[in-house]
Amino acid sequence: MIPGTFDYHRPDSVEAAVALLAEHGDEARAIAGGHSLIPMMKLRMAEVQHLVDLQGITDLKGIKVDGGTVTIGAMATQHELIASEALAQAAPIIREAALQIADPQVRYVGTIGGNVANGDPGNDMPGLMQCLDATYVLVGPEGKRDVQARDFYEAAYFTARSDDELLVSIRFTAPKGGYAYEKQKRKIGDYATAAAAVLIAKDGGTCSSASIAMTNLSDTPVWCEAAAEALVGTSLDKAAVDAAVAAMTGAIDPQEDNRGPVDFKKHVAGVVLRRAIERAASRA
Amino acid sequence: MGKMHIKVTVNGKQHELLAEPRELLIHVLREELGITGPHIGCETSHCGACTVDMDGKSVKSCTVFAAQANGANITTIEGLGNPDGLHVLQQMFKEHHGLQCGFCTPGMITRAYRFLQENPDPTEEEVRFGMAGNLCRCTGYQNIVKAILAAAAEMNAAKEAAQ
């Protein structure tokens, strides 16, 4: 399995990378870890004439926790997300999710930027970023702009990023309270049959705020405000959790594939969401 | 684009070669450099038989372009030990029957090497999780896990003896 020929570029700055993307238009693709793109190129399902390798751009690296604000460079790898103690303090849900992505070899090279920008509904980080209400920073020929993760995904592989823009970093406010990332998969390394990202804050015995996002149950991640609202103001009793699961089930739109029929996926979505709510509540 | 100049250090030796950017690292290693320890199993980034150590990370060399590896420092199974001086991991795989057909073994040992660098005293569960990117169709993994735990104990004992 050998991909078609391409020209290889290794720019050393964001500006140089954006200039290459602008010059070559839809013939160019940025490559981070490459573990989504290279398999597609080997299958010749992705035709790339100009490959713009981001590995030489120092500005895209690093994880910064500054007060309550977390900024993660697009080229931070899953391995680095897991290893960062500062990030584990500020947003432990990221480590919990990253440990469930792929396998060790893939996590050494797979990046958060590639994971969120590719627009693959199977990727775990987009739903998690919606749960955290993260902001994506994009740089294009016209300059820099912010797009909320909750506004970024349009359809499978279609996002608010245009061909000549580069996702450079991700920023969010460190969440308070309990958290859980629960993922059901057929085997280690697989994409989710269903996954749930849940944040819950409590005031005394009452849920004071919640955020819920689901992965691989529609052609985009599903941030479900109604499911979170079903929890707020309750003691997270069975009736509240049932209502949240019902709201979530109404918001997802899974398709039948080799991970199972639609009814099964809806069932698994309910199971993972219940587990995630329970774990997040126990940590809140 | 034609061929490009690529410089890589493999097992401590510098190589300069011409390769098309689209060539995969595993093909460069096996076909251009004659380093045939890393194997091509699935060629779809699942099985881990092609695992090499690149700049301190375990990577699947079927999913790295030659161009991306330009400037990298690579270690393959050949760089860990040889028949006259086996690496402790190779010795333990032999003693604990950590292989049958042997096809996955170079990838297993190269991955286990990096894993033990990062976690020198792992639990059995940590070994299983750390080796999750390498598939073996013969052993059922039991003896691979045993071999890696035994190698960790050997390496730690040697470290203590040296202190």
PDB file of all heavy atoms in Angstrom, chain B residues 103-139:
ATOM      1  N   PHE B 103       7.334 -13.893  14.486  1.00  0.00           N
ATOM      2  CA  PHE B 103       7.104 -12.776  13.549  1.00  0.00           C
ATOM      3  C   PHE B 103       6.892 -11.449  14.282  1.00  0.00           C
ATOM      4  O   PHE B 103       7.389 -10.412  13.863  1.00  0.00           O
ATOM      5  CB  PHE B 103       5.898 -13.079  12.644  1.00  0.00           C
ATOM      6  CG  PHE B 103       5.756 -12.113  11.501  1.00  0.00           C
ATOM      7  CD1 PHE B 103       6.443 -12.315  10.317  1.00  0.00           C
ATOM      8  CD2 PHE B 103       4.957 -10.984  11.626  1.00  0.00           C
ATOM      9  CE1 PHE B 103       6.327 -11.407   9.263  1.00  0.00           C
ATOM     10  CE2 PHE B 103       4.834 -10.079  10.584  1.00  0.00           C
ATOM     11  CZ  PHE B 103       5.518 -10.292   9.401  1.00  0.00           C
ATOM     12  N   CYS B 104       6.143 -11.498  15.377  1.00  0.00           N
ATOM     13  CA  CYS B 104       5.827 -10.248  16.100  1.00  0.00           C
ATOM     14  C   CYS B 104       6.951  -9.825  17.032  1.00  0.00           C
ATOM     15  O   CYS B 104       6.926  -8.719  17.565  1.00  0.00           O
ATOM     16  CB  CYS B 104       4.528 -10.408  16.898  1.00  0.00           C
ATOM     17  SG  CYS B 104       4.695 -11.468  18.367  1.00  0.00           S
ATOM     18  N   THR B 105       7.915 -10.718  17.273  1.00  0.00           N
ATOM     19  CA  THR B 105       8.877 -10.534  18.365  1.00  0.00           C
ATOM     20  C   THR B 105       9.740  -9.268  18.250  1.00  0.00           C
ATOM     21  O   THR B 105       9.913  -8.567  19.255  1.00  0.00           O
ATOM     22  CB  THR B 105       9.764 -11.787  18.503  1.00  0.00           C
ATOM     23  OG1 THR B 105       8.922 -12.943  18.442  1.00  0.00           O
ATOM     24  CG2 THR B 105      10.519 -11.777  19.810  1.00  0.00           C
ATOM     25  N   PRO B 106      10.281  -8.935  17.068  1.00  0.00           N
ATOM     26  CA  PRO B 106      11.092  -7.709  17.017  1.00  0.00           C
ATOM     27  C   PRO B 106      10.302  -6.471  17.427  1.00  0.00           C
ATOM     28  O   PRO B 106      10.818  -5.620  18.161  1.00  0.00           O
ATOM     29  CB  PRO B 106      11.512  -7.626  15.533  1.00  0.00           C
ATOM     30  CG  PRO B 106      11.424  -9.035  15.038  1.00  0.00           C
ATOM     31  CD  PRO B 106      10.273  -9.658  15.780  1.00  0.00           C
ATOM     32  N   GLY B 107       9.035  -6.397  16.989  1.00  0.00           N
ATOM     33  CA  GLY B 107       8.184  -5.268  17.369  1.00  0.00           C
ATOM     34  C   GLY B 107       7.861  -5.305  18.851  1.00  0.00           C
ATOM     35  O   GLY B 107       7.886  -4.278  19.533  1.00  0.00           O
ATOM     36  N   MET B 108       7.561  -6.507  19.349  1.00  0.00           N
ATOM     37  CA  MET B 108       7.257  -6.668  20.777  1.00  0.00           C
ATOM     38  C   MET B 108       8.424  -6.180  21.630  1.00  0.00           C
ATOM     39  O   MET B 108       8.245  -5.430  22.592  1.00  0.00           O
ATOM     40  CB  MET B 108       7.019  -8.151  21.107  1.00  0.00           C
ATOM     41  CG  MET B 108       5.687  -8.701  20.679  1.00  0.00           C
ATOM     42  SD  MET B 108       4.395  -8.141  21.804  1.00  0.00           S
ATOM     43  CE  MET B 108       2.956  -8.787  20.932  1.00  0.00           C
ATOM     44  N   ILE B 109       9.619  -6.644  21.299  1.00  0.00           N
ATOM     45  CA  ILE B 109      10.780  -6.331  22.148  1.00  0.00           C
ATOM     46  C   ILE B 109      11.169  -4.858  22.015  1.00  0.00           C
ATOM     47  O   ILE B 109      11.497  -4.203  23.004  1.00  0.00           O
ATOM     48  CB  ILE B 109      11.955  -7.284  21.816  1.00  0.00           C
ATOM     49  CG1 ILE B 109      11.587  -8.697  22.299  1.00  0.00           C
ATOM     50  CG2 ILE B 109      13.262  -6.784  22.425  1.00  0.00           C
ATOM     51  CD1 ILE B 109      12.621  -9.761  22.041  1.00  0.00           C
ATOM     52  N   THR B 110      11.074  -4.318  20.801  1.00  0.00           N
ATOM     53  CA  THR B 110      11.410  -2.900  20.623  1.00  0.00           C
ATOM     54  C   THR B 110      10.435  -2.026  21.408  1.00  0.00           C
ATOM     55  O   THR B 110      10.817  -1.035  22.034  1.00  0.00           O
ATOM     56  CB  THR B 110      11.404  -2.524  19.132  1.00  0.00           C
ATOM     57  OG1 THR B 110      12.171  -3.496  18.414  1.00  0.00           O
ATOM     58  CG2 THR B 110      12.016  -1.157  18.904  1.00  0.00           C
ATOM     59  N   ARG B 111       9.148  -2.403  21.387  1.00  0.00           N
ATOM     60  CA  ARG B 111       8.150  -1.664  22.175  1.00  0.00           C
ATOM     61  C   ARG B 111       8.397  -1.855  23.680  1.00  0.00           C
ATOM     62  O   ARG B 111       8.346  -0.895  24.444  1.00  0.00           O
ATOM     63  CB  ARG B 111       6.732  -2.121  21.799  1.00  0.00           C
ATOM     64  CG  ARG B 111       5.641  -1.637  22.739  1.00  0.00           C
ATOM     65  CD  ARG B 111       5.594  -0.115  22.836  1.00  0.00           C
ATOM     66  NE  ARG B 111       4.823   0.344  23.997  1.00  0.00           N
ATOM     67  CZ  ARG B 111       5.064   1.458  24.683  1.00  0.00           C
ATOM     68  NH1 ARG B 111       6.073   2.245  24.338  1.00  0.00           N
ATOM     69  NH2 ARG B 111       4.325   1.796  25.695  1.00  0.00           N
ATOM     70  N   ALA B 112       8.659  -3.100  24.083  1.00  0.00           N
ATOM     71  CA  ALA B 112       8.875  -3.375  25.511  1.00  0.00           C
ATOM     72  C   ALA B 112      10.080  -2.599  26.025  1.00  0.00           C
ATOM     73  O   ALA B 112      10.096  -2.120  27.169  1.00  0.00           O
ATOM     74  CB  ALA B 112       9.070  -4.868  25.735  1.00  0.00           C
ATOM     75  N   TYR B 113      11.105  -2.439  25.176  1.00  0.00           N
ATOM     76  CA  TYR B 113      12.297  -1.671  25.553  1.00  0.00           C
ATOM     77  C   TYR B 113      11.909  -0.247  25.958  1.00  0.00           C
ATOM     78  O   TYR B 113      12.274   0.235  27.030  1.00  0.00           O
ATOM     79  CB  TYR B 113      13.283  -1.660  24.384  1.00  0.00           C
ATOM     80  CG  TYR B 113      14.357  -0.618  24.496  1.00  0.00           C
ATOM     81  CD1 TYR B 113      15.441  -0.799  25.366  1.00  0.00           C
ATOM     82  CD2 TYR B 113      14.288   0.562  23.759  1.00  0.00           C
ATOM     83  CE1 TYR B 113      16.412   0.185  25.490  1.00  0.00           C
ATOM     84  CE2 TYR B 113      15.254   1.535  23.879  1.00  0.00           C
ATOM     85  CZ  TYR B 113      16.312   1.350  24.743  1.00  0.00           C
ATOM     86  OH  TYR B 113      17.264   2.320  24.875  1.00  0.00           O
ATOM     87  N   ARG B 114      11.140   0.431  25.116  1.00  0.00           N
ATOM     88  CA  ARG B 114      10.732   1.814  25.418  1.00  0.00           C
ATOM     89  C   ARG B 114       9.806   1.854  26.618  1.00  0.00           C
ATOM     90  O   ARG B 114       9.901   2.727  27.476  1.00  0.00           O
ATOM     91  CB  ARG B 114      10.064   2.440  24.176  1.00  0.00           C
ATOM     92  CG  ARG B 114       9.539   3.854  24.350  1.00  0.00           C
ATOM     93  CD  ARG B 114      10.570   4.847  24.864  1.00  0.00           C
ATOM     94  NE  ARG B 114      11.826   4.799  24.122  1.00  0.00           N
ATOM     95  CZ  ARG B 114      12.965   5.362  24.548  1.00  0.00           C
ATOM     96  NH1 ARG B 114      13.006   6.025  25.694  1.00  0.00           N
ATOM     97  NH2 ARG B 114      14.064   5.245  23.818  1.00  0.00           N
ATOM     98  N   PHE B 115       8.895   0.870  26.686  1.00  0.00           N
ATOM     99  CA  PHE B 115       7.950   0.813  27.813  1.00  0.00           C
ATOM    100  C   PHE B 115       8.707   0.740  29.144  1.00  0.00           C
ATOM    101  O   PHE B 115       8.396   1.458  30.096  1.00  0.00           O
ATOM    102  CB  PHE B 115       7.010  -0.385  27.649  1.00  0.00           C
ATOM    103  CG  PHE B 115       6.155  -0.649  28.860  1.00  0.00           C
ATOM    104  CD1 PHE B 115       5.126   0.218  29.200  1.00  0.00           C
ATOM    105  CD2 PHE B 115       6.397  -1.746  29.674  1.00  0.00           C
ATOM    106  CE1 PHE B 115       4.348  -0.010  30.326  1.00  0.00           C
ATOM    107  CE2 PHE B 115       5.624  -1.975  30.803  1.00  0.00           C
ATOM    108  CZ  PHE B 115       4.600  -1.100  31.135  1.00  0.00           C
ATOM    109  N   LEU B 116       9.739  -0.107  29.203  1.00  0.00           N
ATOM    110  CA  LEU B 116      10.480  -0.261  30.466  1.00  0.00           C
ATOM    111  C   LEU B 116      11.371   0.951  30.759  1.00  0.00           C
ATOM    112  O   LEU B 116      11.710   1.197  31.910  1.00  0.00           O
ATOM    113  CB  LEU B 116      11.313  -1.549  30.454  1.00  0.00           C
ATOM    114  CG  LEU B 116      10.506  -2.860  30.505  1.00  0.00           C
ATOM    115  CD1 LEU B 116      11.439  -4.059  30.505  1.00  0.00           C
ATOM    116  CD2 LEU B 116       9.576  -2.906  31.713  1.00  0.00           C
ATOM    117  N   GLN B 117      11.747   1.691  29.715  1.00  0.00           N
ATOM    118  CA  GLN B 117      12.467   2.950  29.967  1.00  0.00           C
ATOM    119  C   GLN B 117      11.561   3.914  30.724  1.00  0.00           C
ATOM    120  O   GLN B 117      12.014   4.656  31.589  1.00  0.00           O
ATOM    121  CB  GLN B 117      12.884   3.621  28.649  1.00  0.00           C
ATOM    122  CG  GLN B 117      13.832   2.815  27.779  1.00  0.00           C
ATOM    123  CD  GLN B 117      15.214   2.712  28.378  1.00  0.00           C
ATOM    124  OE1 GLN B 117      15.799   3.722  28.754  1.00  0.00           O
ATOM    125  NE2 GLN B 117      15.727   1.503  28.489  1.00  0.00           N
ATOM    126  N   GLU B 118      10.280   3.908  30.354  1.00  0.00           N
ATOM    127  CA  GLU B 118       9.339   4.865  30.954  1.00  0.00           C
ATOM    128  C   GLU B 118       8.751   4.349  32.264  1.00  0.00           C
ATOM    129  O   GLU B 118       8.357   5.135  33.119  1.00  0.00           O
ATOM    130  CB  GLU B 118       8.202   5.166  29.967  1.00  0.00           C
ATOM    131  CG  GLU B 118       8.702   5.908  28.727  1.00  0.00           C
ATOM    132  CD  GLU B 118       7.596   6.215  27.737  1.00  0.00           C
ATOM    133  OE1 GLU B 118       6.443   5.772  27.951  1.00  0.00           O
ATOM    134  OE2 GLU B 118       7.892   6.896  26.745  1.00  0.00           O
ATOM    135  N   ASN B 119       8.634   3.055  32.375  1.00  0.00           N
ATOM    136  CA  ASN B 119       8.033   2.444  33.573  1.00  0.00           C
ATOM    137  C   ASN B 119       8.873   1.226  33.963  1.00  0.00           C
ATOM    138  O   ASN B 119       8.542   0.099  33.605  1.00  0.00           O
ATOM    139  CB  ASN B 119       6.577   2.054  33.269  1.00  0.00           C
ATOM    140  CG  ASN B 119       5.862   1.539  34.503  1.00  0.00           C
ATOM    141  OD1 ASN B 119       6.476   1.365  35.567  1.00  0.00           O
ATOM    142  ND2 ASN B 119       4.574   1.292  34.369  1.00  0.00           N
ATOM    143  N   PRO B 120       9.960   1.446  34.724  1.00  0.00           N
ATOM    144  CA  PRO B 120      10.923   0.362  34.977  1.00  0.00           C
ATOM    145  C   PRO B 120      10.391  -0.732  35.902  1.00  0.00           C
ATOM    146  O   PRO B 120      10.964  -1.809  35.941  1.00  0.00           O
ATOM    147  CB  PRO B 120      12.106   1.077  35.643  1.00  0.00           C
ATOM    148  CG  PRO B 120      11.867   2.532  35.457  1.00  0.00           C
ATOM    149  CD  PRO B 120      10.403   2.723  35.282  1.00  0.00           C
ATOM    150  N   ASP B 121       9.324  -0.456  36.642  1.00  0.00           N
ATOM    151  CA  ASP B 121       8.853  -1.451  37.601  1.00  0.00           C
ATOM    152  C   ASP B 121       7.330  -1.628  37.463  1.00  0.00           C
ATOM    153  O   ASP B 121       6.574  -1.331  38.383  1.00  0.00           O
ATOM    154  CB  ASP B 121       9.226  -1.003  39.023  1.00  0.00           C
ATOM    155  CG  ASP B 121       9.080  -2.144  40.029  1.00  0.00           C
ATOM    156  OD1 ASP B 121       8.967  -3.306  39.592  1.00  0.00           O
ATOM    157  OD2 ASP B 121       9.052  -1.851  41.241  1.00  0.00           O
ATOM    158  N   PRO B 122       6.883  -2.133  36.325  1.00  0.00           N
ATOM    159  CA  PRO B 122       5.443  -2.147  36.035  1.00  0.00           C
ATOM    160  C   PRO B 122       4.704  -3.306  36.701  1.00  0.00           C
ATOM    161  O   PRO B 122       5.310  -4.332  37.031  1.00  0.00           O
ATOM    162  CB  PRO B 122       5.400  -2.310  34.519  1.00  0.00           C
ATOM    163  CG  PRO B 122       6.621  -3.118  34.212  1.00  0.00           C
ATOM    164  CD  PRO B 122       7.657  -2.707  35.216  1.00  0.00           C
ATOM    165  N   THR B 123       3.396  -3.135  36.869  1.00  0.00           N
ATOM    166  CA  THR B 123       2.530  -4.246  37.248  1.00  0.00           C
ATOM    167  C   THR B 123       2.184  -5.030  35.983  1.00  0.00           C
ATOM    168  O   THR B 123       2.412  -4.560  34.865  1.00  0.00           O
ATOM    169  CB  THR B 123       1.217  -3.731  37.856  1.00  0.00           C
ATOM    170  OG1 THR B 123       0.514  -2.989  36.843  1.00  0.00           O
ATOM    171  CG2 THR B 123       1.472  -2.823  39.048  1.00  0.00           C
ATOM    172  N   GLU B 124       1.593  -6.224  36.191  1.00  0.00           N
ATOM    173  CA  GLU B 124       1.185  -7.010  35.023  1.00  0.00           C
ATOM    174  C   GLU B 124       0.182  -6.224  34.178  1.00  0.00           C
ATOM    175  O   GLU B 124       0.262  -6.211  32.943  1.00  0.00           O
ATOM    176  CB  GLU B 124       0.560  -8.338  35.475  1.00  0.00           C
ATOM    177  CG  GLU B 124       0.123  -9.164  34.284  1.00  0.00           C
ATOM    178  CD  GLU B 124      -0.619 -10.448  34.642  1.00  0.00           C
ATOM    179  OE1 GLU B 124      -0.367 -11.017  35.720  1.00  0.00           O
ATOM    180  OE2 GLU B 124      -1.434 -10.876  33.808  1.00  0.00           O
ATOM    181  N   GLU B 125      -0.754  -5.545  34.840  1.00  0.00           N
ATOM    182  CA  GLU B 125      -1.773  -4.796  34.106  1.00  0.00           C
ATOM    183  C   GLU B 125      -1.134  -3.675  33.279  1.00  0.00           C
ATOM    184  O   GLU B 125      -1.529  -3.416  32.138  1.00  0.00           O
ATOM    185  CB  GLU B 125      -2.793  -4.221  35.093  1.00  0.00           C
ATOM    186  CG  GLU B 125      -4.047  -3.720  34.415  1.00  0.00           C
ATOM    187  CD  GLU B 125      -4.985  -2.994  35.375  1.00  0.00           C
ATOM    188  OE1 GLU B 125      -4.822  -3.156  36.604  1.00  0.00           O
ATOM    189  OE2 GLU B 125      -5.862  -2.276  34.885  1.00  0.00           O
ATOM    190  N   GLU B 126      -0.141  -3.003  33.876  1.00  0.00           N
ATOM    191  CA  GLU B 126       0.534  -1.930  33.142  1.00  0.00           C
ATOM    192  C   GLU B 126       1.284  -2.476  31.933  1.00  0.00           C
ATOM    193  O   GLU B 126       1.337  -1.833  30.882  1.00  0.00           O
ATOM    194  CB  GLU B 126       1.488  -1.177  34.082  1.00  0.00           C
ATOM    195  CG  GLU B 126       0.749  -0.273  35.062  1.00  0.00           C
ATOM    196  CD  GLU B 126       1.624   0.255  36.190  1.00  0.00           C
ATOM    197  OE1 GLU B 126       2.737  -0.279  36.412  1.00  0.00           O
ATOM    198  OE2 GLU B 126       1.181   1.187  36.868  1.00  0.00           O
ATOM    199  N   VAL B 127       1.871  -3.678  32.062  1.00  0.00           N
ATOM    200  CA  VAL B 127       2.549  -4.288  30.908  1.00  0.00           C
ATOM    201  C   VAL B 127       1.530  -4.543  29.804  1.00  0.00           C
ATOM    202  O   VAL B 127       1.758  -4.197  28.638  1.00  0.00           O
ATOM    203  CB  VAL B 127       3.240  -5.611  31.304  1.00  0.00           C
ATOM    204  CG1 VAL B 127       3.745  -6.346  30.057  1.00  0.00           C
ATOM    205  CG2 VAL B 127       4.397  -5.351  32.259  1.00  0.00           C
ATOM    206  N   ARG B 128       0.391  -5.111  30.167  1.00  0.00           N
ATOM    207  CA  ARG B 128      -0.617  -5.414  29.149  1.00  0.00           C
ATOM    208  C   ARG B 128      -1.094  -4.151  28.448  1.00  0.00           C
ATOM    209  O   ARG B 128      -1.250  -4.106  27.225  1.00  0.00           O
ATOM    210  CB  ARG B 128      -1.799  -6.171  29.768  1.00  0.00           C
ATOM    211  CG  ARG B 128      -1.438  -7.590  30.167  1.00  0.00           C
ATOM    212  CD  ARG B 128      -2.630  -8.347  30.740  1.00  0.00           C
ATOM    213  NE  ARG B 128      -2.246  -9.676  31.168  1.00  0.00           N
ATOM    214  CZ  ARG B 128      -2.177 -10.737  30.364  1.00  0.00           C
ATOM    215  NH1 ARG B 128      -2.504 -10.613  29.101  1.00  0.00           N
ATOM    216  NH2 ARG B 128      -1.793 -11.907  30.821  1.00  0.00           N
ATOM    217  N   PHE B 129      -1.324  -3.082  29.227  1.00  0.00           N
ATOM    218  CA  PHE B 129      -1.788  -1.819  28.643  1.00  0.00           C
ATOM    219  C   PHE B 129      -0.687  -1.186  27.791  1.00  0.00           C
ATOM    220  O   PHE B 129      -0.950  -0.675  26.705  1.00  0.00           O
ATOM    221  CB  PHE B 129      -2.226  -0.866  29.762  1.00  0.00           C
ATOM    222  CG  PHE B 129      -3.013   0.307  29.272  1.00  0.00           C
ATOM    223  CD1 PHE B 129      -4.326   0.147  28.844  1.00  0.00           C
ATOM    224  CD2 PHE B 129      -2.442   1.569  29.220  1.00  0.00           C
ATOM    225  CE1 PHE B 129      -5.052   1.238  28.371  1.00  0.00           C
ATOM    226  CE2 PHE B 129      -3.162   2.661  28.754  1.00  0.00           C
ATOM    227  CZ  PHE B 129      -4.466   2.490  28.332  1.00  0.00           C
ATOM    228  N   GLY B 130       0.541  -1.264  28.270  1.00  0.00           N
ATOM    229  CA  GLY B 130       1.661  -0.663  27.547  1.00  0.00           C
ATOM    230  C   GLY B 130       2.027  -1.401  26.273  1.00  0.00           C
ATOM    231  O   GLY B 130       2.675  -0.851  25.388  1.00  0.00           O
ATOM    232  N   MET B 131       1.620  -2.672  26.186  1.00  0.00           N
ATOM    233  CA  MET B 131       1.931  -3.488  25.003  1.00  0.00           C
ATOM    234  C   MET B 131       0.720  -3.629  24.081  1.00  0.00           C
ATOM    235  O   MET B 131       0.709  -4.453  23.171  1.00  0.00           O
ATOM    236  CB  MET B 131       2.406  -4.878  25.440  1.00  0.00           C
ATOM    237  CG  MET B 131       3.703  -4.882  26.242  1.00  0.00           C
ATOM    238  SD  MET B 131       5.116  -4.180  25.357  1.00  0.00           S
ATOM    239  CE  MET B 131       5.296  -5.385  24.032  1.00  0.00           C
ATOM    240  N   ALA B 132      -0.310  -2.804  24.309  1.00  0.00           N
ATOM    241  CA  ALA B 132      -1.585  -2.977  23.593  1.00  0.00           C
ATOM    242  C   ALA B 132      -1.479  -2.707  22.090  1.00  0.00           C
ATOM    243  O   ALA B 132      -2.374  -3.081  21.337  1.00  0.00           O
ATOM    244  CB  ALA B 132      -2.653  -2.081  24.213  1.00  0.00           C
ATOM    245  N   GLY B 133      -0.399  -2.078  21.662  1.00  0.00           N
ATOM    246  CA  GLY B 133      -0.257  -1.792  20.239  1.00  0.00           C
ATOM    247  C   GLY B 133       0.456  -2.885  19.461  1.00  0.00           C
ATOM    248  O   GLY B 133       0.794  -2.697  18.287  1.00  0.00           O
ATOM    249  N   ASN B 134       0.703  -4.027  20.100  1.00  0.00           N
ATOM    250  CA  ASN B 134       1.415  -5.127  19.431  1.00  0.00           C
ATOM    251  C   ASN B 134       0.577  -6.394  19.508  1.00  0.00           C
ATOM    252  O   ASN B 134       0.224  -6.839  20.600  1.00  0.00           O
ATOM    253  CB  ASN B 134       2.771  -5.371  20.103  1.00  0.00           C
ATOM    254  CG  ASN B 134       3.709  -4.198  19.923  1.00  0.00           C
ATOM    255  OD1 ASN B 134       3.562  -3.174  20.580  1.00  0.00           O
ATOM    256  ND2 ASN B 134       4.666  -4.328  19.027  1.00  0.00           N
ATOM    257  N   LEU B 135       0.303  -6.963  18.345  1.00  0.00           N
ATOM    258  CA  LEU B 135      -0.506  -8.186  18.307  1.00  0.00           C
ATOM    259  C   LEU B 135       0.375  -9.419  18.133  1.00  0.00           C
ATOM    260  O   LEU B 135       1.383  -9.381  17.426  1.00  0.00           O
ATOM    261  CB  LEU B 135      -1.511  -8.127  17.147  1.00  0.00           C
ATOM    262  CG  LEU B 135      -2.499  -6.959  17.177  1.00  0.00           C
ATOM    263  CD1 LEU B 135      -3.464  -7.055  15.994  1.00  0.00           C
ATOM    264  CD2 LEU B 135      -3.271  -6.917  18.478  1.00  0.00           C
ATOM    265  N   CYS B 136      -0.014 -10.512  18.813  1.00  0.00           N
ATOM    266  CA  CYS B 136       0.643 -11.810  18.654  1.00  0.00           C
ATOM    267  C   CYS B 136      -0.450 -12.843  18.444  1.00  0.00           C
ATOM    268  O   CYS B 136      -1.420 -12.865  19.192  1.00  0.00           O
ATOM    269  CB  CYS B 136       1.438 -12.157  19.913  1.00  0.00           C
ATOM    270  SG  CYS B 136       2.073 -13.851  19.911  1.00  0.00           S
ATOM    271  N   ARG B 137      -0.308 -13.669  17.414  1.00  0.00           N
ATOM    272  CA  ARG B 137      -1.344 -14.661  17.147  1.00  0.00           C
ATOM    273  C   ARG B 137      -0.973 -16.047  17.682  1.00  0.00           C
ATOM    274  O   ARG B 137      -1.740 -16.987  17.542  1.00  0.00           O
ATOM    275  CB  ARG B 137      -1.632 -14.748  15.638  1.00  0.00           C
ATOM    276  CG  ARG B 137      -2.119 -13.445  15.010  1.00  0.00           C
ATOM    277  CD  ARG B 137      -3.532 -13.071  15.428  1.00  0.00           C
ATOM    278  NE  ARG B 137      -3.564 -12.402  16.726  1.00  0.00           N
ATOM    279  CZ  ARG B 137      -4.613 -11.740  17.206  1.00  0.00           C
ATOM    280  NH1 ARG B 137      -5.718 -11.651  16.497  1.00  0.00           N
ATOM    281  NH2 ARG B 137      -4.583 -11.179  18.393  1.00  0.00           N
ATOM    282  N   CYS B 138       0.219 -16.185  18.262  1.00  0.00           N
ATOM    283  CA  CYS B 138       0.630 -17.511  18.746  1.00  0.00           C
ATOM    284  C   CYS B 138       0.455 -17.670  20.253  1.00  0.00           C
ATOM    285  O   CYS B 138      -0.145 -18.616  20.721  1.00  0.00           O
ATOM    286  CB  CYS B 138       2.107 -17.764  18.444  1.00  0.00           C
ATOM    287  SG  CYS B 138       2.606 -17.707  16.729  1.00  0.00           S
ATOM    288  N   THR B 139       1.029 -16.758  21.011  1.00  0.00           N
ATOM    289  CA  THR B 139       1.303 -17.069  22.420  1.00  0.00           C
ATOM    290  C   THR B 139       0.126 -16.884  23.359  1.00  0.00           C
ATOM    291  O   THR B 139       0.161 -17.394  24.471  1.00  0.00           O
ATOM    292  CB  THR B 139       2.428 -16.157  22.963  1.00  0.00           C
ATOM    293  OG1 THR B 139       1.971 -14.793  22.916  1.00  0.00           O
ATOM    294  CG2 THR B 139       3.693 -16.289  22.165  1.00  0.00           C
TER     295      THR B 139
END
